Amino acid sequence: MAKGKTGTRSLKERDAATTKKIVDLVADVARKSLGGKEPKIDIPTRTKSNTIWNKKRGILEMGDGVAERPLFDLKTAKQFMQTMLHASTIKDLIAAEKTSSLRGVFYKAKHTVAGTRENTFDTQDESDPILEDLEVALGALREELHVFAENRGSMVGNITIVDKGDEIDCRRMGSGGYALPSIVEPDVIQFKKCEAKFVLHVEKGTVWNRFNEDRFWEKHNCILTHGAGQPPRGCRRLLQRLNQELKLPIICVLDNDPWGHYIYSVIKQGSISLAFESSRLAIPEAKFLGIRAKDFRECGLDDAVKIELTENDVKRAKEIAAYPWFAGHRGWQKEIDALLANGFKMEVESLITKDISYVSETYVPERLRKKDWLD
Amino acid sequence: MTAKEAVAMAEPRKKKTAPRADAESMAARQRDISVSEFFAKNRHLLGFDNPRKAVLTTVKEAVDNSLDACEEAGILPEIAVILEDLEPNRPATAKSSRYRITVIDNGPGIVRKQVENIFGRLLYGSKFHRLKMSRGQQGIGISAAGMYGLITTGRPMTIFTKPKAGQPTHHIELAMNTKTNRAEVTFDKEVKEFPPRRFRDMSAGTKALAEQGGFLTESEFPTGTSVSIELDGKYQKGRGSVDEFLELTAIANPHARIVFVPPTRVTEDEEPDVLAAAEATAAAKATVTTETNGVIVFPRGVQELPPETREIQPHPKGIELGILLQMLKDYELAEKGGTLYNFLQERFCRVSPQTAASMCQAIGVTSRAKAGDIEPPQAEKLYKVFQESKLAPPPTDCLAPIGVRQLLAGMLKGVRAEFYSASSRTAEVYRGRPFQIEAAIAFGGELPADESARVIRFANRVPLLFQQSACSSFKAVTETAWKNYNLQQPRGALPVGPLVIMIHMASVWVPFTSESKEAIADYDEIRKEMKLALMECGRKLGTYLRKRQKMRREGERRDVFERYIGEISKAIHEVTGQDQRKVFDALLKQAKARTAVADQVLDEDGKIVKDEPMDEDGVIVVPDAIAPVPGAIPAAAPAAEASPAKGARRRVAAEGTEPRRAAKPRKASAAREELRARVAKAASRGKGDPGAAGLF
Ligand SMILES: Nc1ncnc2c1ncn2[C@@H]1O[C@H](COP(=O)(O)OP(=O)(O)OP(=O)(O)O)[C@@H](O)[C@H]1O
Ligand SMILES: [Mg+2]
């Protein structure tokens, strides 16, 4: 998997193919415009209704639904313009053989619409989904568009990797860990040496710090990761590669609330908005270790850890219970019912009320030993 | 009061005062009260409640008379209103001043022997006894003004009147004796000049105007009357001012030309009325008048007099039993043995021979029964028959409505708005008296957007400036559901918005709530008609507002598309190498086709595209007065360096990011002038058919 002449050439070929896709899409718009027809872009829909649950593979997939994005419609006119701008920006990036962050792309395309006081893009939140639209419209992966997201999430553990030719020993990453890049494809990152037997993925950096400080990965011979909340694509892709290529089980420690359940669901089956990427992101085998609704009693936690469920939490919990991949799952139905019956939620940090290292030294090892998890 | 006094008051009176009056002693004090004495004590009934109103009422009575006289004589009115401040050097704290108010007209003049009666007697006039539409009706107006002047200054009225062209002018000064209700002439001479020359040389303004032939030119006054009254009064602008009265008079009387020479000094108000001042400036702006050195000219808008009206007989349904009995008596006196059959036909309108016969039959008398023989019970039966019979409404040629066209001309002249609509109802009857309601509304433009609508009321073309909320028209406005026409309206109140509502009642007898003729009495029949007229105007406004909203939406839509087309064509050029200008033009063409509604009315620069700016009867739209969409930004052509195409229509010039408002005023007034000219021309074409709509 080393970078060689063939690699470079294939990269060039790949770029040429992407460029052609962009030119085709825009040329079609030009043709329609000059021919007096309404310019439209077909964009596969990234909505729940266009998401299919592939029971056999255990992942979410994108359906065939396509939405037209016409220029002459007040609802879509601006998005149409933005899509064209980003198409042009991406083509330039590829031509210059440069990559850019999502933020960089946003700034490159952001300007005042000629003759007005209106911006082409006001915030990056407007820009990022347009790029995702382009990905699906072109059928191109994000790295093929030369775009990456900011690094998010960290990793430590018994593994050595090569990142763009640099060897990285994840056992010697100090307190911060190896920052997970957004593009972790095999042409960028290769696994060199791995002794770890599983991956412990936690929700947030604070919890990850606890485990790292207690050298949990060393004691339990594993890899420790977090995704700073909902894990970004880079983090999910790396977890999937560790799972598929190195056959490491992925064990998740997330909050006991609908949000934690949702993160687990995204890691396991994929998300609605990125359903087109599920096959390279979803990890159907991922396991949910905790924390669990029963833990309040089982671990003898203090009343102070309870956080009352909001109306919205209850609504979210019921929605999640109805997801097809949870709907037929006895264990998960019970778990969500228990959460609702409790009427409160708990963060992983609540285990700290027992003892500062209770989570890393008692709770997780015990549950691992008992194989007490949901999957 | 002190405690002691309170106790004293609470105690029953012990001591009997002087013996009470008896019939004898009272009889000694019972005597005639002269009407003049009565009104001298009750001046508020005639509109002389305070010094400011006294000035207005005097002007109003004189102007009303002048307009009436001109119209009756078939003369296009040419009226001068002159206010002279006789104490220009009074201290700033003075609450009032002495003014000489002079109104000069080119009417038919007054024959010498009538002068004392007209100006020196209350309740003497030509209009009271007839059923004919006129401004004055009571025979009180001008003599009451003269009386007020006399009471407050001791000065007699000065009259110049020239009843025959080429003959001398009578110069008479007279004072009313309030005890006898008779005039006492203090000066009586014949002079040559008319109008009095000294007015022309009053100020630089009058001189300049006179030199242009626009002020008291002798040849324009072959006959006419000049009335001067000195009085204690106060001149101020704002609501209820002479200025407002004349401005509104001009709106309702586009056939009159009025020149106003205001006094050199306005009375200071101790507590400055900010609202009144603001309204005054707004009013001054709203009137299309010219001003030379302080002299204000309300030009003539149309060259046609209102059609001549006919006097009519009362309608059977409008008569009360007592009056019927009196009419029967009068008839017997006049016609000695005249039949009921003839009486019915001669003394009433809309009674045909057949109807008369069947009415006789209905009360059980023959057609030959004598009117004098009808007993009260039979008369009462007859009265009932009147109420039940199916009769044609009274003839309406006794009414001279302003007419849709002239309403619009008047409003266009007086109010700067973007939309005007008018409605002239057909004549109806209240208490057997024909009346006709007209309404007009002006919307948008320069009118204040967040205030209550302004209601301007007229009765027989005379503006009514006071007691708005006591007026039937006010109730009609508040009872109309303006929300149906896309306007805001707090419950039971006037609508809120940039709106002027005009209501005119034309009738042979306008039922005022008092002698000062300020508010129309609230008859159901009248209010109903007013509401119907308002609804008609409102419906047209609603249609227009919806259309405008749609237009605006489409306009905004096109703006949105056009805004992005520049960016899109640039991106297309960068990705595919296609010619940016070609793509831009192609897309612009599509954008325009897709928002054709907006194009129907306005082209891209906001000019009128179609020749006819109005597509409904009784409606005028001034597209240039339409306020721009707030925050709208003109669309842009592609960046200049990428689009070198020559001669291409560029919407955005150097100041491309400026909102469209720029350069509007000049264009607006040009369009307005053109419209006004068209209205005037159209109105003069439609002679003799003033009520008909649909000219536009
Ligand atoms: N400028 C004038 N030119 C000719 N005739 C006039 C003029 N002014 C008044 N007259 C005559 O004098 C009469 C009396 O006028 P006056 O204003 O006192 O009463 P009115 O107009 O009949 O009723 P009102 O009291 O309602 O005004 C009028 O009816 C009219 O015949
Ligand atoms: Mg009068």
Side-chain angles (χ1 to χ4, degrees):
Chain A
M1 264 199 266
K3 271 205 288 182
K5 271 189 178 166
T6 37
T8 319
R9 204 176 57 229
S10 77
L11 222 66
K12 279 223 160 122
E13 277 165 15
R14 193 188 79 175
D15 284 351
T18 313
T19 303
K20 184 175 182 299
K21 283 178 183 172
I22 294 172
V23 173
D24 286 350
L25 181 117
V26 177
D28 183 56
V29 169
R31 212 168 15 256
K32 282 179 181 140
S33 306
L34 293 170
K37 283 199 207 112
E38 177 170 25
K40 288 178 194 156
I41 311 167
D42 285 344
I43 295 177
T45 346
R46 298 181 295 114
T47 59
K48 193 173 171 197
S49 59
N50 191 37
T51 309
I52 296 161
W53 166 238
N54 186 329
K55 205 172 173 186
K56 216 170 114 210
R57 294 181 63 196
I59 62 169
L60 282 179
E61 289 175 342
M62 190 161 75
D64 302 329
V66 168
E68 281 183 348
R69 179 168 293 174
L71 165 59
F72 294 115
D73 185 323
L74 281 186
K75 289 193 287 294
T76 54
K78 184 159 193 183
Q79 290 173 358
F80 184 97
M81 179 268 292
Q82 292 172 330
T83 313
M84 299 307 283
L85 285 184
H86 272 350
S88 169
T89 310
I90 300 295
K91 188 187 170 242
D92 289 352
L93 265 182
I94 297 173
E97 296 187 34
K98 295 243 168 70
T99 58
S100 165
S101 68
L102 291 170
R103 193 152 188 81
V105 174
F106 160 60
Y107 273 117
K108 185 156 189 290
K110 180 187 172 178
H111 57 262
T112 307
V113 177
T116 75
R117 275 173 248 114
E118 187 183 350
N119 283 331
T120 51
F121 293 92
D122 279 322
T123 63
Q124 194 186 335
D125 291 346
E126 257 182 279
S127 166
D128 292 357
I130 296 289
L131 280 173
E132 287 174 3
D133 287 343
L134 263 182
E135 283 178 55
V136 291
L138 298 171
L141 299 167
R142 193 164 56 179
E143 56 271 24
E144 292 175 348
L145 300 183
H146 287 217
V147 178
F148 58 86
E150 268 85 288
N151 294 350
R152 209 165 95 198
S154 303
M155 173 164 87
V156 284
N158 286 328
I159 187 169
T160 304
I161 62 168
V162 176
D163 180 345
K164 284 227 168 141
D166 296 336
E167 201 173 288
I168 290 161
D169 181 356
C170 291
R171 299 160 197 89
R172 307 161 66 94
M173 298 305 303
S175 60
Y178 167 67
L180 299 176
S182 109
I183 289 164
V184 295
E185 292 311 308
D187 57 337
V188 180
I189 289 177
Q190 299 91 40
F191 303 132
K192 192 163 181 207
K193 184 166 165 256
C194 176
E195 296 99 32
K197 291 286 174 277
F198 67 96
V199 178
L200 187 74
H201 177 80
V202 301
E203 187 168 329
K204 296 163 284 205
T206 48
V207 178
W208 182 90
N209 283 339
R210 173 85 266 120
F211 282 89
N212 188 28
E213 202 179 299
D214 294 341
R215 311 286 291 174
F216 180 89
W217 51 271
E218 208 170 48
K219 290 176 200 156
H220 297 274
N221 188 22
C222 68
I223 294 169
L224 188 61
T225 59
H226 79 87
Q230 183 174 355
R233 278 199 253 183
C235 174
R236 289 167 57 197
R237 173 68 174 146
L238 191 72
L239 289 176
Q240 195 211 38
R241 284 190 60 205
L242 291 169
N243 176 253
Q244 287 187 350
E245 293 169 30
L246 305 178
K247 306 289 175 232
L248 301 180
I250 311 292
I251 315 280
C252 303
V253 175
L254 308 164
D255 289 346
N256 175 242
D257 62 15
W259 181 237
H261 297 169
Y262 176 74
I263 290 175
Y264 171 68
S265 148
V266 166
I267 291 171
K268 191 178 171 78
Q269 278 102 10
S271 69
I272 288 164
S273 68
L274 297 177
F276 60 100
E277 285 258 61
S278 286
S279 59
R280 22 177 228 168
L281 296 175
I283 311 157
E285 276 179 23
K287 292 169 178 43
F288 182 87
L289 187 87
I291 59 176
R292 309 274 299 272
K294 62 180 182 176
D295 292 346
F296 180 75
R297 211 172 324 119
E298 271 188 22
C299 305
L301 297 179
D302 196 274
D303 268 350
V305 306
K306 293 178 177 175
I307 305 168
E308 212 182 313
L309 284 178
T310 64
E311 235 172 81
N312 202 39
D313 285 332
V314 174
K315 205 176 125 232
R316 285 288 286 146
K318 287 178 178 162
E319 271 169 30
I320 290 167
Y323 282 180
W325 49 99
F326 282 153
H329 194 296
R330 274 263 236 42
W332 269 107
Q333 290 300 314
K334 267 196 189 157
E335 180 63 26
I336 293 170
D337 282 348
L339 171 75
L340 290 172
N342 276 352
F344 59 84
K345 50 191 181 182
M346 295 175 290
E347 295 186 305
V348 178
E349 286 93 326
S350 64
L351 296 173
I352 286 171
T353 57
K354 295 282 291 178
D355 179 85
I356 184 88
S357 294
Y358 176 76
V359 63
S360 53
E361 285 171 2
T362 316
Y363 180 86
V364 172
E366 252 175 38
R367 294 288 161 99
L368 282 173
R369 202 172 45 245
K370 288 194 222 157
K371 295 201 158 90
D372 185 2
W373 55 58
L374 286 166
D375 63 359
Chain B
M1 91 180 77
T2 65
K4 218 171 156 192
E5 280 169 331
V7 172
M9 269 193 72
E11 265 173 47
R13 272 196 224 169
K14 286 177 192 142
K15 220 173 89 183
K16 231 183 168 191
T17 39
R20 294 248 180 144
D22 54 21
E24 285 297 324
S25 68
M26 281 170 72
R29 276 180 272 132
Q30 287 163 343
R31 61 186 168 94
D32 231 351
I33 303 163
S34 115
V35 214
S36 338
E37 276 182 307
F38 175 79
F39 280 120
K41 278 198 168 165
N42 293 288
R43 49 174 88 160
H44 59 277
L45 292 177
L46 297 174
F48 295 92
D49 334 24
N50 58 58
R52 183 169 182 247
K53 213 165 147 189
V55 171
L56 169 74
T57 304
T58 303
V59 168
K60 175 171 139 65
E61 291 301 340
V63 169
D64 287 357
N65 284 351
S66 292
L67 288 169
D68 272 348
C70 287
E71 280 165 29
E72 221 176 314
I75 300 165
L76 271 175
E78 177 77 44
I79 295 172
V81 178
I82 301 150
L83 261 64
E84 291 168 273
D85 193 336
L86 301 179
E87 294 172 354
N89 300 319
R90 66 186 181 279
T93 50
K95 285 191 176 164
S96 60
S97 176
R98 184 177 286 195
Y99 292 95
R100 185 185 295 120
I101 298 175
T102 303
V103 174
I104 306 172
D105 65 56
N106 63 344
I110 300 164
V111 296
R112 175 61 193 86
K113 71 172 173 43
Q114 285 294 356
V115 172
E116 284 95 331
N117 287 330
I118 287 173
F119 297 102
R121 287 177 77 176
L122 285 180
L123 297 176
Y124 189 96
S126 55
K127 308 165 195 170
F128 186 83
H129 297 278
R130 61 185 194 193
L131 285 177
K132 181 172 167 172
M133 179 182 157
S134 57
R135 292 170 182 79
Q137 54 191 27
Q138 302 168 142
I140 298 176
I142 198 63
S143 16
M147 192 173 71
Y148 177 84
L150 186 68
I151 291 169
T152 55
T153 68
R155 300 281 300 143
M157 290 166 89
T158 303
I159 295 124
F160 289 85
T161 186
K162 190 182 180 195
K164 251 197 168 129
Q167 301 276 313
T169 305
H170 305 288
H171 174 181
I172 296 150
E173 292 180 13
L174 56 79
M176 177 195 285
N177 183 329
T178 51
K179 292 252 156 56
T180 58
N181 191 19
R182 288 290 185 278
E184 283 165 10
V185 175
T186 56
F187 186 94
D188 187 351
K189 251 194 185 160
E190 289 192 352
V191 293
K192 269 228 156 98
E193 63 173 55
F194 188 81
R197 195 161 275 147
R198 77 174 182 93
F199 292 114
R200 270 177 271 178
D201 300 328
M202 267 177 58
S203 70
T206 53
K207 262 187 219 157
L209 197 61
E211 265 162 35
Q212 297 162 25
F215 187 58
L216 302 180
T217 311
E218 252 167 56
S219 60
E220 303 251 3
F221 291 77
T223 58
T225 303
S226 161
V227 181
S228 299
I229 295 172
E230 272 180 46
L231 51 72
D232 188 49
K234 184 166 160 181
Y235 170 78
Q236 267 176 329
K237 296 188 181 243
R239 276 285 144 92
S241 63
V242 173
D243 300 62
E244 187 190 31
F245 169 76
L246 293 176
E247 171 204 326
L248 296 182
T249 300
I251 288 179
N253 299 274
H255 61 291
R257 179 175 183 272
I258 304 173
V259 179
F260 176 40
V261 184
T264 44
R265 194 174 148 184
V266 179
T267 309
E268 303 291 342
D269 203 343
E270 293 97 329
E271 46 213 271
D273 186 349
V274 182
L275 190 73
E279 274 164 359
T281 39
K285 253 198 259 159
T287 314
V288 183
T289 53
T290 51
E291 207 181 314
T292 355
N293 288 332
V295 179
I296 300 166
V297 179
F298 298 90
R300 186 171 284 131
V302 293
Q303 298 298 323
E304 264 59 48
L305 275 165
E308 210 180 317
T309 54
R310 232 171 31 97
E311 227 180 295
I312 58 158
Q313 300 289 15
H315 191 269
K317 292 206 179 189
I319 223 82
E320 272 139 28
L321 183 55
I323 296 189
L324 174 61
L325 291 169
Q326 184 63 47
M327 284 173 74
L328 283 163
K329 257 191 218 152
D330 290 350
Y331 190 71
E332 173 58 24
L333 273 177
E335 305 285 330
K336 297 277 177 315
T339 61
L340 180 65
Y341 176 76
N342 285 339
F343 164 77
L344 289 171
Q345 291 175 60
E346 286 167 26
R347 292 295 161 102
F348 290 98
C349 63
R350 295 306 194 212
V351 180
S352 63
Q354 295 97 298
T355 320
S358 74
M359 281 175 172
C360 290
Q361 206 186 348
I363 65 162
V365 300
T366 65
S367 305
R368 263 160 294 155
K370 295 202 170 83
D373 294 344
I374 302 297
E375 299 291 320
Q378 284 171 307
E380 206 174 325
K381 248 191 195 169
L382 183 61
Y383 175 76
K384 282 207 186 95
V385 170
F386 281 174
Q387 307 311 313
E388 286 152 18
S389 59
K390 279 206 176 97
L391 293 171
T396 52
D397 51 2
C398 55
L399 300 175
I402 301 175
V404 166
R405 248 190 319 263
Q406 298 211 6
L407 280 171
L408 290 173
M411 286 290 258
L412 195 65
K413 198 172 99 171
V415 184
R416 286 187 194 280
E418 89 185 48
F419 172 89
Y420 303 81
S421 69
S423 155
S424 191
R425 303 279 309 160
T426 52
E428 277 293 331
V429 181
Y430 83 97
R431 281 180 53 197
R433 287 157 188 168
F435 73 97
Q436 187 164 357
I437 297 297
E438 298 172 289
I441 58 181
F443 177 88
E446 293 173 17
L447 298 171
D450 38 19
E451 287 169 21
S452 289
R454 180 176 174 199
V455 180
I456 55 181
R457 303 169 289 134
F458 298 87
N460 288 352
R461 292 172 184 253
V462 178
L464 310 178
L465 301 186
F466 299 98
Q467 298 202 27
Q468 165 165 286
S469 52
C471 189
S472 184
S473 63
F474 182 79
K475 291 187 183 131
V477 173
T478 56
E479 284 175 16
T480 303
W482 295 96
K483 282 189 177 147
N484 294 347
Y485 316 124
N486 287 20
L487 287 171
Q488 280 177 295
Q489 184 181 25
R491 260 199 117 127
L494 294 175
V496 174
L499 187 66
V500 173
I501 301 170
M502 169 182 178
I503 294 188
H504 178 231
M505 172 171 181
S507 181
V508 294
W509 187 268
V510 179
F512 287 111
T513 56
S514 84
E515 290 76 6
S516 57
K517 302 191 278 189
E518 290 170 342
I520 300 170
D522 190 21
Y523 282 91
D524 285 345
E525 299 92 326
I526 296 174
R527 186 154 32 93
K528 182 180 151 212
E529 279 299 304
M530 287 176 170
K531 276 159 74 176
L532 288 171
L534 289 171
M535 279 158 68
E536 197 184 313
C537 291
R539 191 186 47 72
K540 290 171 186 165
L541 175 64
T543 310
Y544 168 74
L545 285 181
R546 275 187 294 278
K547 209 187 283 169
R548 189 184 74 165
Q549 214 170 38
K550 184 158 190 232
M551 234 166 70
R552 241 181 211 192
R553 263 203 307 271
E554 292 288 305
E556 278 171 82
R557 217 178 117 191
R558 186 179 54 194
D559 266 5
V560 166
F561 298 152
E562 289 185 12
R563 233 180 291 166
Y564 300 145
I565 284 172
E567 294 289 335
I568 292 166
S569 47
K570 187 157 170 253
I572 290 177
H573 167 75
E574 279 161 9
V575 174
T576 65
Q578 276 285 359
D579 184 89
Q580 182 175 341
R581 167 53 68 175
K582 259 198 205 155
V583 176
F584 178 83
D585 288 344
L587 286 175
L588 191 65
K589 204 171 137 200
Q590 283 200 46
K592 285 201 174 142
R594 276 166 208 284
T595 49
V597 178
D599 280 323
Q600 269 169 20
V601 188
L602 306 170
D603 81 353
E604 54 178 15
D605 290 321
K607 277 188 245 121
I608 311 162
V609 176
K610 284 204 291 179
D611 261 357
E612 300 303 306
M614 53 211 97
D615 47 12
E616 199 181 357
D617 294 347
V619 169
I620 292 180
V621 175
V622 183
D624 281 309
I626 300 173
V629 183
I633 295 158
E641 79 282 358
S643 54
K646 260 187 287 148
R649 277 233 260 174
R650 295 289 296 275
R651 300 196 51 201
V652 184
E655 68 288 3
T657 49
E658 284 299 305
R660 272 189 214 172
R661 231 178 253 275
K664 262 291 129 69
R666 209 195 58 241
K667 245 194 281 176
S669 59
R672 186 181 293 275
E673 278 317 313
E674 191 197 305
L675 263 175
R676 197 171 296 122
R678 273 223 307 261
V679 168
K681 214 167 82 195
S684 63
R685 253 190 277 131
K687 192 184 173 181
D689 179 24
L695 185 84
F696 299 109

